[in-house]
DNA sequence: ACCTGAACACCGTTCAAGT
DNA sequence: ACCTGAACACCGTTCAAGT
């Protein structure tokens, strides 16, 4: 990549990080281009879709989340591991409103730039879920897509200002339907 | 109201019903004005906000839902009554995507045209919930706002195409966390 | 190769001008 | 009293023209 192109690419990304965090996944692309001091065409050249831009920004975190799902867990029982992972995801998406809506749209769209991230996140969750189910600590009639859907719904709840003051409680209610916590 | 104004009012409403059902609560107001064959100013004169237009369209159904929450129930136990009512709401909002998102935004906004509808829907749910709780058939640590939030989240899930095939199952999972169904 | 910014087709909202 | 539609300030997306 040419030096000027590289500079623009990095600048767009840096600005997009801030703007997406502030305005959510539906933030104005024009606004990003403006703040990055590049033309609209430059933004589109580097990131042909909104998803492509989101993907680069989110990839790192989602890879970390997928990795943490498979981490040794240090003696942590599978139900606690699943719960901790769910809390991690929600804490992250809470900083980026609407991101899980974009993910939900991408999971059925193989051509979306976000598709691979969705699938790996869903799979990571499915593996944690399966281990908890095997230990008799999670509702057995749930699949990976169900967990993904419930995560998305919880993220949506956290994004609604009217529900924010009850969001932690609702998290407990919903995860309570998934995980049957026990002492051993 | 003058005869021409009345005609425009009715025409806008008739068109809006169709367009909101087809495109959801975020449908283009310009599109509605166009299809109703009125100027934008006419639409705004009769309905100063999107919420005002939505409110007129939804009021009838929400009043019916609030009424059905208080219906004698014909020997139906409170847990079954609550579940049946939840199914009714979800079935309705499923035909009008995004409506519960608008409701969620309006519940904390007393100036919104939708506010009264939100509150009465929340209250109706809260009464059903309280009866089920009194019978020991619903999770006791839930308030009206929690039920409203869970309804909204379920409506959101039904609106996501990627989750549609699991939506009925997710409804069972989430309501399972609220209602503890028993035989007597 | 890469960049710019105008152009196009859309929004929501307001308001001067008409009847 | 009511209506119209242009005007304004925004979008996302594309593309001719420049370097």
């Amino acid at each position: 990549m040419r030096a000027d192109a590289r500079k623009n690419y990095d600048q767009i990304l840096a600005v997009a990080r801030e703007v997406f965090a502030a305005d959510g996944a539906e933030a104005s692309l024009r606004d990003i281009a403006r703040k990055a001091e590049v033309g609209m065409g430059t933004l589109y050249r580097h990131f042909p879709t909104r998803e492509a831009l989101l993907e680069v920004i989110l990839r790192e975190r989602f890879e970390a989340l997928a990795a943490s799902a498979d981490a040794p867990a240090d003696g942590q029982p599978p139900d606690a591991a699943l719960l901790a992972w769910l809390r991690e995801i929600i804490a992250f998406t809470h900083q980026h409103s609407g991101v899980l809506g974009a993910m939900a749209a991408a999971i059925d769209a193989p051509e979306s730039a976000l598709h691979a991230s969705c699938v790996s996140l869903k799979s990571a969750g499915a593996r944690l879920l399966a281990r908890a189910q095997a230990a008799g600590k999670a509702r057995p009639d749930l699949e990976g897509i169900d967990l993904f859907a419930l995560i998305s719904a919880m993220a949506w709840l956290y994004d609604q200002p009217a529900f924010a003051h009850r969001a932690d409680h609702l998290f407990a209610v919903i995860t309570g339907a998934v995980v049957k916590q026990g002492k051993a």
Side-chain angles (χ1 to χ4, degrees), chain A residues 34-104:
Chain A
R34 215 154 29 214
K35 284 176 176 150
E37 294 173 340
V38 301
M40 284 306 291
T42 304
L43 189 148
Y44 273 87
R45 156 174 282 268
H46 289 297
F47 306 98
T49 61
R50 177 186 296 274
E51 285 73 28
L53 185 48
L54 273 175
E55 199 271 336
V56 176
I57 291 172
L58 302 175
R59 178 170 37 199
E60 202 180 301
R61 288 302 279 270
F62 281 133
E63 271 174 15
L65 281 166
S68 94
D70 294 319
D74 210 17
Q76 200 178 30
D79 51 340
L82 176 54
L83 270 176
W85 188 76
L86 292 173
R87 263 190 283 268
E88 242 185 287
I89 291 195
I90 293 297
F92 171 60
T93 60
H94 194 24
Q95 323 287 95
H96 296 82
S97 81
V99 158
L100 258 101
M103 302 275 285

Side-chain angles (χ1 to χ4, degrees), chain A residues 44-176:
Chain A
Y44 273 87
R45 156 174 282 268
H46 289 297
F47 306 98
T49 61
R50 177 186 296 274
E51 285 73 28
L53 185 48
L54 273 175
E55 199 271 336
V56 176
I57 291 172
L58 302 175
R59 178 170 37 199
E60 202 180 301
R61 288 302 279 270
F62 281 133
E63 271 174 15
L65 281 166
S68 94
D70 294 319
D74 210 17
Q76 200 178 30
D79 51 340
L82 176 54
L83 270 176
W85 188 76
L86 292 173
R87 263 190 283 268
E88 242 185 287
I89 291 195
I90 293 297
F92 171 60
T93 60
H94 194 24
Q95 323 287 95
H96 296 82
S97 81
V99 158
L100 258 101
M103 302 275 285
I107 198 146
D108 266 2
E111 75 285 2
S112 165
L114 280 174
H115 187 253
S117 290
C118 298
V119 170
S120 78
L121 195 71
K122 190 188 72 167
S123 306
R127 290 194 296 275
L128 275 165
L129 178 63
R131 266 179 266 147
Q133 285 170 331
K137 292 290 171 56
R139 197 177 154 124
D141 64 350
L142 292 176
E143 302 172 7
I145 187 71
D146 299 324
L147 187 63
F148 190 81
L150 291 173
I151 291 167
S152 306
M154 290 191 289
W156 184 86
L157 282 172
Y158 273 89
D159 284 347
Q160 308 301 310
F163 303 143
H165 69 294
R166 300 293 288 172
D168 285 336
H169 188 235
L170 292 163
F171 177 90
V173 171
I174 292 173
T175 58

